[in-house]
Amino acid sequence: METFSYPFSAVVGQEEMKLALVLNAVEPRIGGVLIRGEKGTAKSTAVRALRGLLPDIKVVAGCVCSCDPDDNSRLCPECAEMIVSGRRPGSEYRRVPIVNLPLNVTEEMVAGGLDLEVALRKGRRCFQAGLLAAANRGILYIDEVNLLDDHIVDIILDAASSGVNAVEIEGLSIRHPSRFILAGTMNPEEGDLRPQLLDRFGLCVEVVGEMDVERRVELMEMRERYDTDPWEFVSLFLREERDVSAHIIRARHAIREVAFPAYLGGLVSELCLQNNVAGHRADIVIKYAATALAAFECRAEVTAGDIRRVAGMALLHRRRDALPPPPESDNPERKENDTDDKKDNGGREEDNPGNQPENSNMDEKDEPDNMAEEFCAGLPETEGPADTPEAGEPSEEVFEPGSTFKVQRFKQEKDRLLRCGSGRRSRTRTAQKTGRYVKSILSNRYPDIAVDATIRAAAPYQGQRKKQDGMAVSIRKDDIRRKVREKRIGNFLLFLVDASGSMGVRARMTATKGAILSLLMDAYQKRDRVAMVTFRRKEAVVNLPPTSSVELAVRHLREMPVGGRTPLTDGLVKGFKLLKVHFLKEPSARPIAIIITDGRANVSTGSGIAPQDEAIVTAEKMAYEERIKFVVVDTEEPGIMKLGFAARLAAALGAEYFRTEDLKAGDLVDIVRRRL
Amino acid sequence: MERNTVYPFSAIVGQDRMKLALILNIINPRISGVLIRGEKGTAKSTAVRALADVLPMIEVVSGCPFQLSPGDEQVACSDCSNRECSERIIAGRPVEVIRRKVRVVELPVGATEDRVVGTMDLEHALKKGEKRFEPGILAAAHRGILYLDEIDLLDDHVVDVLLDSAAMGINTVEREGVSFIHPASFTLVGTMNPEEGELRPQLLDRFGLCVGIEGIRSSPERVDVMERRIAFEENPGGFCLRWEDESGKTAGRIGAAIGLYPKVKVNRNKFFSIARRCVEAGVDGHRADIITLKTARALAAWNGRCEVLDEDVEIAVELALPHRMRRQPFEEIGAPGKAARAGV
């Protein structure tokens, strides 16, 4: 639909994002741009506006793939056939295609599939091009790219890496060119991207809102004027748009003449090495981008300055440290000091905007927020281990609610959380008729028929089959396809937390809460369901019945008091009962019970057995329920006096066993993830 | 449901903030929606459904599944199922136009993605062997109000799709063998119960305004609520009749405000005060500024003024900012988050 969009030149600020887009327009080989940033920062607006700047392209008349008539090496089958048969294809000029990939897209629409109508009418198999064909020589734009389904991502990755889309469907084998600039926007708060896809984007920029009041006002005024009278507004910027556009076209021609001095090659590879990037794409992208920048700015030679300006964008999402962190988000000053960024990873903390609280010196109540914040910001640096010792900041009174943990320690853990989390949500095929329709299979049970696929299967035979009363399509039993649906399921995590006095010793509870919080963060992104049972004093309490509100869980966690004796058995029993009830509702669930305790029990349920033994016996019984995965986190402090109760408990449960120390390294999180 | 049996908008006791937010959205749909957060039984749904009572009239091509107005770009027409009408339009001949009230379309909790965005017309495919697009709820909601009750209970992927359309004003369908694009700009009105858990920040941001409501505490008013409800249930028709005048007045005032809105001037210093407030609140991005400005203008129009006053800005800030304060997933809305801290 030809809606007119907000003009590119009218986007206030966000210079780096605009530069990245322009560079891509000048040199498509850069390979696209990923725009990461908070909500409402003109991400989508800018990408859509880019179209207005791009010159029309010459294409073979009527070709769906927008084939270039002057380039015989990359033609779609139809155009190739035309050339082979000696016909001279007509040509026409077309606007650069910007293909918007909606989130609701299904597989065959991306890659292309059988043309239903032709098949039905003529009984002939014929290929209907998908979005990848339409995006050839243009821009494939994915809004909220991090929310896109994994299997769609795979198709796109495949095409992006080879420049060719190969389709094998129902006896058709088609290959057509699909070279496009990948443009994506995402909000890192909603989860991160798979590193593989991340790498596909040539450049990556972070955007943040303008903090300057003047700029904000300017922005508001612009927007208001646009909303009041879009036509007038657009025509007002027509000249500027044309200027930029002319600049781009000129740069496209000039780029061939721009020299790349050999000595700069060394600088590029040094930068890449320093940042420990994977593979060589970064080097290549930097070179292309720097050349494009020089061309855009009408210079005949690339300078070290050019490289510095683009290197940040090329390295941001590729940089790896000892523990590869995801790209950071808080970096408004990036434009000014790319160099520092690249060369001095440690200097990142200073770049944080002032309103981002530093890790230290926060009063305790703020700390969880602080951590949450950094977590969501897609936290950058792995701090040296030097910081870890002070991590266990003297804990508050154990009976006090909200005893917290130090941020620093969980940084690494968080890193992992996010990065591995690129496969973010656990998916499952679902039997119900809910969930997203992802593909279809042959099936003889038909509760959920995939109509399109069924017709498609029947289509080629329509010529031979006899038409039944008035129906255009004759369908037989073996045509019927069933929908395969996928649903993002949240997992069910049960936290069994020992809140007895023995847990209150120094940093133990702070560490424990920190661990739980980390898991809850993860649960939040995955939209898991959680429940919490704590046991202290005489009995165990279900603090939090199963809920999908992770917020509630966090609130409870913060307010959780610690102290008293340890009714371990009761805790186990209550937790088990809760899970049993859950099974009634969802027999196919595979919940994870995370038991966080030192294993020391001193209150029995009145069975007459010693509390410690009672717990073990109970645990052994519980272990029979195979659907539950148990994880025991031993919070006992390492030392000479090791009692090892929790280890015994774990053995009885058949659980995976961790000590808090392991947990610090993020292993618990990994365990849970493996299960997810 | 018949129009007559809807509880009248003006008969709702109290909850002025919510009513105001809804009205402002009618005055300028670009405020882009309201999120109503509140306990059970606080007239959330009643108010939204009652809106139908006071909504303005629009011109719609008769029988158009996409609710297009006669002057609209006729993008969806060439593939429209309403053959007769689309042929007329493509041939440039006049079509029948009806005037009707803006519609409130409700999204059922169990709605599937197909139903929301639209899908292939099965019957047509089987009978005629042609592909045709069968419009979904988004098409029905174009130029109207899309009401999401209990938004936190909706499937995540449905919500993602909805928001995508809401943000762009266009519904792009690429599924099950159909490619289709049609306009879908609607005012999103959602209700939720915060006890059930918060929404994702991304989702929150898409709602222009946010109001929190709670049960009325004063007993005379509670009695009012009861009495009116009982009167309504006993004799819906009569009850509505009694309130017709009142509703008519509100509708008239809304109509006047819509007319006045383009004339509302905003002094430049108001821009600054809005921007400053947004920076202070530490909101993400710029949507807050833009929405606040529009809200303030709508407020001025609603009050029959041609100029935005400080009080308009004040109220607009209260409506547009609370849910946008940079808050982390686990902070409560309106809780003194980072914003407050930054001020220290």
Side-chain angles (χ1 to χ4, degrees), chain B residues 164-185:
Chain B
D164 209 35
S165 299
M168 298 209 285
I170 293 170
N171 178 28
T172 317
V173 186
E174 293 286 351
R175 49 187 294 117
E176 306 185 10
V178 245
S179 297
F180 204 83
I181 288 182
H182 67 82
S185 66

Side-chain angles (χ1 to χ4, degrees), chain A residues 229-462:
Chain A
D229 190 350
W231 277 120
E232 194 202 325
F233 188 79
V234 169
S235 48
L236 217 60
F237 279 88
L238 213 56
R239 247 189 79 197
E240 276 182 61
E241 293 281 283
R242 275 208 207 106
D243 278 356
V244 183
S245 182
H247 230 71
I248 290 176
I249 297 171
R250 202 196 41 71
R252 275 191 178 178
H253 291 292
I255 198 163
R256 272 168 247 148
E257 263 91 74
V258 174
F260 191 85
Y263 70 92
L264 288 177
L267 175 61
V268 173
S269 39
E270 195 185 320
L271 282 173
C272 292
L273 277 178
Q274 269 175 9
N275 285 287
N276 194 17
V277 296
H280 294 276
R281 191 168 286 130
D283 307 49
I284 299 164
V285 167
I286 292 177
K287 193 177 162 189
Y288 281 148
T291 316
L293 181 60
F296 187 67
E297 295 185 342
C298 310
R299 277 178 278 109
E301 200 181 276
V302 178
T303 64
D306 291 332
I307 289 180
R308 288 205 190 92
R309 276 170 69 192
V310 298
M313 298 191 256
L315 295 174
L316 180 60
H317 53 307
R318 297 199 172 87
R319 178 190 298 130
R320 293 187 306 178
D321 292 312
L323 263 178
E328 52 269 72
S329 17
D330 283 338
N331 218 340
E333 279 141 89
R334 176 165 294 283
K335 345 181 190 5
E336 281 85 38
N337 51 13
D338 293 335
T339 352
D340 296 2
D341 286 351
K342 296 165 316 204
K343 295 208 161 149
D344 178 12
N345 289 339
R348 177 62 23 72
E349 292 302 333
E350 284 90 60
D351 288 349
N352 285 341
N355 56 359
Q356 161 125 12
E358 289 298 324
N359 302 325
S360 48
N361 302 331
M362 298 299 298
D363 60 319
E364 52 141 332
K365 250 203 132 132
D366 278 348
E367 283 195 34
D369 303 356
N370 188 10
M371 178 208 158
E373 185 176 296
E374 303 211 338
F375 177 81
C376 289
L379 186 71
E381 301 305 319
T382 340
E383 284 297 318
D387 290 322
T388 317
E390 62 175 71
E393 196 179 44
S395 74
E396 279 66 37
E397 275 304 307
V398 284
F399 291 94
E400 293 276 316
S403 54
T404 52
F405 51 89
K406 187 79 165 109
V407 179
Q408 217 73 18
R409 178 167 48 208
F410 285 97
K411 273 190 166 179
Q412 295 184 348
E413 203 173 318
K414 276 178 279 152
D415 273 351
R416 278 195 183 199
L417 255 155
L418 262 184
R419 189 165 38 74
C420 303
S422 52
R424 241 169 341 97
R425 297 178 179 101
S426 40
R427 259 162 226 287
T428 178
R429 298 272 156 89
T430 85
Q432 300 125 3
K433 276 180 152 187
T434 58
R436 174 170 284 166
Y437 167 32
V438 286
K439 61 178 180 187
S440 56
I441 54 163
L442 192 66
S443 162
N444 48 8
R445 291 176 303 131
Y446 331 112
D448 194 12
I449 295 174
V451 178
D452 57 325
T454 304
I455 297 181
R456 218 173 280 132
Y461 310 105
Q462 294 306 307

Side-chain angles (χ1 to χ4, degrees), chain B residues 166-323:
Chain B
M168 298 209 285
I170 293 170
N171 178 28
T172 317
V173 186
E174 293 286 351
R175 49 187 294 117
E176 306 185 10
V178 245
S179 297
F180 204 83
I181 288 182
H182 67 82
S185 66
F186 46 85
T187 304
L188 212 53
V189 177
T191 64
M192 61 169 287
N193 186 344
E195 284 167 14
E196 308 263 324
E198 288 302 342
L199 294 183
R200 292 143 54 199
Q202 177 92 357
L203 224 159
L204 278 173
D205 191 55
R206 290 288 161 86
F207 286 95
L209 310 179
C210 174
V211 285
I213 58 171
E214 46 186 30
I216 299 164
R217 298 261 176 261
S218 86
S219 50
E221 283 191 324
R222 289 192 84 103
V223 173
D224 262 1
V225 173
M226 276 188 288
E227 279 175 357
R228 286 187 195 176
R229 190 73 218 182
I230 290 166
F232 173 72
E233 269 160 24
E234 276 170 4
N235 180 5
F239 187 79
C240 291
L241 213 60
R242 239 178 301 147
W243 285 93
E244 210 171 46
D245 267 5
E246 202 72 21
S247 294
K249 258 187 241 162
T250 313
R253 196 171 157 194
I254 291 174
I258 293 174
L260 192 60
Y261 183 85
K263 300 191 197 92
V264 175
K265 298 272 176 307
V266 190
N267 192 315
R268 201 149 190 274
N269 62 29
K270 299 287 181 299
F271 278 88
F272 276 94
S273 75
I274 290 172
R276 227 171 286 125
R277 296 293 290 269
C278 290
V279 174
E280 277 167 17
V283 295
D284 273 342
H286 296 274
R287 203 170 276 135
D289 305 46
I290 294 163
I291 303 272
T292 312
L293 179 63
K294 289 185 199 306
T295 310
R297 277 183 77 182
L299 261 167
W302 171 241
N303 291 320
R305 275 184 269 107
C306 281
E307 209 200 325
V308 172
L309 303 181
D310 281 334
E311 59 188 78
D312 297 327
V313 174
E314 209 53 46
I315 298 174
V317 163
E318 281 170 31
L319 287 171
L321 293 194
H323 61 299

